[in-house]
Amino acid sequence: DIQLTQSPSTLSTSVGDRVTITCRASQSIISWLAWYQQKPGKAPKLLIYKASSLESGVPSRFSGSGSGTEFTLTITSLQPDDFATYYCQQSNIYYTFGQGTKLEI
Amino acid sequence: QVQLVQSGAEVKKPGASVEISCKASGYTFTSYPVHWVRQAPGQGLEWMGWVHTGNGNTKYSQRFQGRVTITRDTSARTAYMLLSSLRSEDTTVYYCARSRSHSGNYLWEYDAFDIWGQGTEVTVSS
């Protein structure tokens, strides 16, 4: 199985901050990586697909980069609505998710 | 609008089976495969399997092979996930989610999940 390791697990941040979350894969997943945002009691919401493509309707302050085994999600100028948990997901071989990164105020 | 609506919460005894439905609206159901994902309380997300809504083909996580069956009813625009031999560890929230890519795209299996159901809570308790 392909393992995804996110870091950090928790991040204390403030409105207006620039945030970077890292996702490392245990083997190459080419660019088959997505990022999701999840709020308590809600389903995940797709933000980024194929490592760097912004899903329709998602604000441009979200961006993704990387290939192979190292990927990042960057949020520029954090907004109050962005405090949530973020997950990466690989789809190169079956599907696995990272353990999540919680953004706290 | 495009949405997936799941059936309501279930309470089951150990050893029983549970079937959750996922009804699609706002798009051509048979054009986009449906995945099933679960999430234990306070835990991460775990993929269970998918159904090709056009031809009915399925693929399952090895972790659930033999215990999960995913089907679809095209006339009802609904996908179903049946999980058998329930145990306490199956107490989680179950989600259906749509493949972002049309099944006519030969790379659809590699794409993300763009539309999610609201989740169905399953409790397994004696």
Side-chain angles (χ1 to χ4, degrees):
Chain A
D1 287 9
I2 296 178
Q3 311 298 323
L4 297 180
T5 303
Q6 288 183 233
S7 59
S9 297
T10 307
L11 189 57
S12 294
T13 59
S14 300
V15 172
D17 282 358
R18 176 187 177 95
V19 167
T20 298
I21 300 169
T22 298
C23 179
R24 290 187 174 87
S26 58
Q27 64 188 76
S28 176
I29 55 172
I30 312 174
S31 292
W32 299 115
L33 188 100
W35 291 95
Y36 298 85
Q37 176 193 70
Q38 187 178 35
K39 297 182 179 180
K42 299 293 187 183
K45 173 187 174 183
L46 177 63
L47 301 174
I48 302 286
Y49 62 94
K50 217 158 68 175
S52 60
S53 296
L54 189 68
E55 174 68 353
S56 175
V58 174
S60 59
R61 62 180 180 273
F62 292 91
S63 64
S65 65
S67 65
T69 61
E70 293 261 341
F71 300 85
T72 59
L73 172 70
T74 300
I75 312 170
T76 57
S77 190
L78 206 61
Q79 298 301 300
D81 190 49
D82 300 338
F83 291 94
T85 300
Y86 293 82
Y87 293 94
C88 57
Q89 176 215 16
Q90 69 83 21
S91 51
N92 188 51
I93 300 176
Y94 286 87
Y95 309 87
T96 50
F97 294 83
Q99 82 279 14
T101 295
K102 184 176 182 180
L103 296 191
E104 297 180 332
I105 300 175
Chain B
Q1 73 278 27
V2 175
Q3 62 178 355
L4 297 172
V5 178
Q6 299 180 220
S7 50
E10 302 266 9
V11 179
K12 295 291 182 181
K13 293 195 181 305
S17 299
V18 67
E19 184 173 65
I20 303 169
S21 66
C22 171
K23 186 173 179 63
S25 61
Y27 71 96
T28 303
F29 174 69
T30 51
S31 294
Y32 294 85
V34 170
H35 296 263
W36 287 89
V37 175
R38 76 179 195 178
Q39 184 172 36
Q43 301 298 311
L45 297 152
E46 183 174 30
W47 176 77
M48 301 180 71
W50 57 247
V51 60
H52 188 295
T53 49
N55 61 23
N57 287 350
T58 54
K59 187 172 186 176
Y60 302 123
S61 165
Q62 291 173 351
R63 179 161 142 71
F64 298 99
Q65 195 83 36
R67 272 212 308 147
V68 68
T69 305
I70 300 174
T71 58
R72 97 284 189 231
D73 180 339
T74 57
S75 62
R77 305 170 57 84
T78 301
Y80 301 89
M81 190 281 296
L82 173 71
L83 186 62
S84 60
S85 302
L86 289 170
R87 35 215 191 218
S88 59
E89 310 88 86
D90 296 319
T91 295
T92 79
V93 176
Y94 293 79
Y95 293 100
C96 60
R98 189 186 82 161
S99 169
R100 193 189 152 275
S101 279
H102 189 284
S103 53
N105 178 343
Y106 76 101
L107 292 176
W108 74 260
E109 273 193 81
Y110 297 95
D111 212 340
F113 311 159
D114 67 341
I115 305 296
W116 293 64
Q118 82 277 20
T120 297
E121 185 173 7
V122 173
T123 302
V124 182
S125 174
S126 54

